[in-house]
Amino acid sequence: MIDVQDADLVACYPRRPEPTLRVNFVASIDGAVTVNGKSAGLGGPGDKMIFDTLRMLCDALVVAAGTVRTENYDALRLTGPAREWRRAHGLSEFPLMVVVSGSLDLDPEQLVFSDAPIRPLIVTHAGAPVDRRAALAEVAEIVTVGEESVDLAAAVRELHARGATQLLCEGGPHLLGAMIAADLVDELCLTISPRLVAGGAGRIAAGPDGPPREMSLAGILADGDMLFLRYARSR
């Protein structure tokens, strides 16, 4: 096992030659995904290092609207060194921010939109409210996939067509559950926080039952008592 402080994180979480949807979550040792409703209570310095590295490596960051609201997402602005790394590796300076929302219950004045370095995408479906479309079209490009619910497979194909083949999803649980049900998840990066939380906190994935997907352990890092696991789709 390698200490996260000594690891080459780019090598530990490589960009892959094939299109990849990577998911990053944190959970307590008793399975809780939040403390007092937010994931921040489970993290630590090593978790933040990996979080920032995964954002640096991706072409697009995909997040559910509920997570954007609950975690109060700000603009997807990377540090200077991360932006330099991306330019040196032939990538755009910033990843694309992609928000998935069926209801379009989003605030156009939230920093994730109003301070965005590049225009975000909002992925929704044909039945989304027309008035909300008009309000959000001022700050983001609206992409419609699906008639009555968001067609996540079509959304992924649309991102690939735009050149965003290395996708990172940060939640929330219902989006991850839907992605698992659609068999879209290629990698799961899971931080195990050494905390017992109990209470009513949910798990990292929520949604309908479905067949299990086999994954293989591709890496283990540590930061004190915190573990960082990377699982990849079994080929």
Side-chain angles (χ1 to χ4, degrees):
M1 190 181 307
I2 303 172
D3 190 286
V4 70
Q5 306 293 336
D6 301 324
D8 179 349
L9 293 182
V10 173
C12 291
Y13 299 92
R15 287 174 59 90
R16 299 167 66 115
E18 67 274 14
T20 300
L21 194 157
R22 172 181 282 166
V23 180
N24 186 34
F25 266 86
V26 60
S28 68
I29 53 176
D30 60 337
V33 72
T34 59
V35 175
N36 297 324
K38 295 188 177 183
S39 62
L42 294 169
D47 182 56
K48 182 64 164 61
M49 289 174 61
I50 293 173
F51 179 90
D52 290 342
T53 299
L54 295 182
R55 284 186 165 198
M56 180 184 77
L57 292 168
C58 75
D59 296 323
L61 174 63
V62 183
V63 187
T67 299
V68 168
R69 291 190 301 268
T70 301
E71 303 286 348
N72 194 27
Y73 267 53
D74 57 11
L76 184 53
R77 291 185 176 274
L78 305 183
T79 65
R83 288 153 60 187
E84 291 175 8
W85 185 93
R86 289 178 63 86
R87 287 193 296 265
H89 289 80
L91 303 176
S92 59
E93 189 172 359
F94 298 98
L96 176 64
M97 184 75 207
V98 181
V99 181
V100 179
S101 178
S103 66
L104 298 182
D105 182 15
L106 293 160
D107 181 359
E109 295 186 1
Q110 188 173 338
L111 291 178
V112 68
F113 301 116
S114 63
D115 190 42
I118 58 175
R119 189 172 177 83
L121 262 61
I122 298 176
V123 176
T124 191
H125 57 83
V130 174
D131 59 334
R132 298 302 306 151
R133 279 179 186 273
L136 292 165
E138 298 292 326
V139 295
E141 179 182 352
I142 312 296
V143 176
T144 302
V145 285
E147 293 302 316
E148 298 180 355
S149 62
V150 176
D151 184 335
L152 291 173
V156 168
R157 290 193 297 270
E158 172 65 21
L159 291 172
H160 290 173
R162 293 169 180 249
T165 61
Q166 304 297 299
L167 306 180
L168 172 64
C169 175
E170 292 177 352
H174 288 281
L175 178 58
L176 175 54
M179 286 180 166
I180 294 172
D183 199 24
L184 296 172
V185 177
D186 299 301
E187 288 193 11
L188 172 64
C189 301
L190 180 62
T191 297
I192 304 297
S193 177
R195 294 174 176 87
L196 290 171
V197 175
R203 48 183 288 198
I204 67 170
D209 292 335
R213 270 70 174 177
E214 296 297 327
M215 305 290 281
S216 298
L217 184 61
I220 307 176
L221 299 174
D223 183 25
D225 294 320
M226 189 169 285
L227 292 178
F228 309 97
L229 310 178
R230 181 169 75 93
Y231 288 90
R233 182 191 290 269
S234 296
R235 302 293 177 179

